[in-house]
Amino acid sequence: MPIVHVEMIEGRSKDQKEGLIKDVVKAVETHTGASKEAVTVIINEISKENIATKGEYHG
């Protein structure tokens, strides 16, 4: 049972997340042979206040 974790900054719409999930599941099906029923996708949304890049805080 493949489990895919996606971490991204919060702010995407429900439709965007649903589209992402469909594409991820399709890629897992294609490249592993797993059925879509066996694939779990977990989206962790990170608050913009908790992001820093290149040593700079962006909150």
Side-chain angles (χ1 to χ4, degrees), residues 6 8 11-27 29 36 39-43 45:
V6 177
M8 61 186 182
R12 271 61 172 212
S13 70
K14 181 181 176 187
D15 288 341
Q16 288 173 312
K17 289 183 270 187
E18 287 177 350
L20 174 63
I21 290 166
K22 286 179 184 178
D23 288 349
V24 167
V25 169
K26 184 63 177 170
E29 283 182 291
K36 70 179 182 179
V39 180
T40 299
V41 179
I42 299 169
I43 297 176
E45 293 185 290

Side-chain angles (χ1 to χ4, degrees), residues 52-58:
T53 56
K54 301 178 186 176
E56 296 179 17
Y57 177 64
H58 299 286

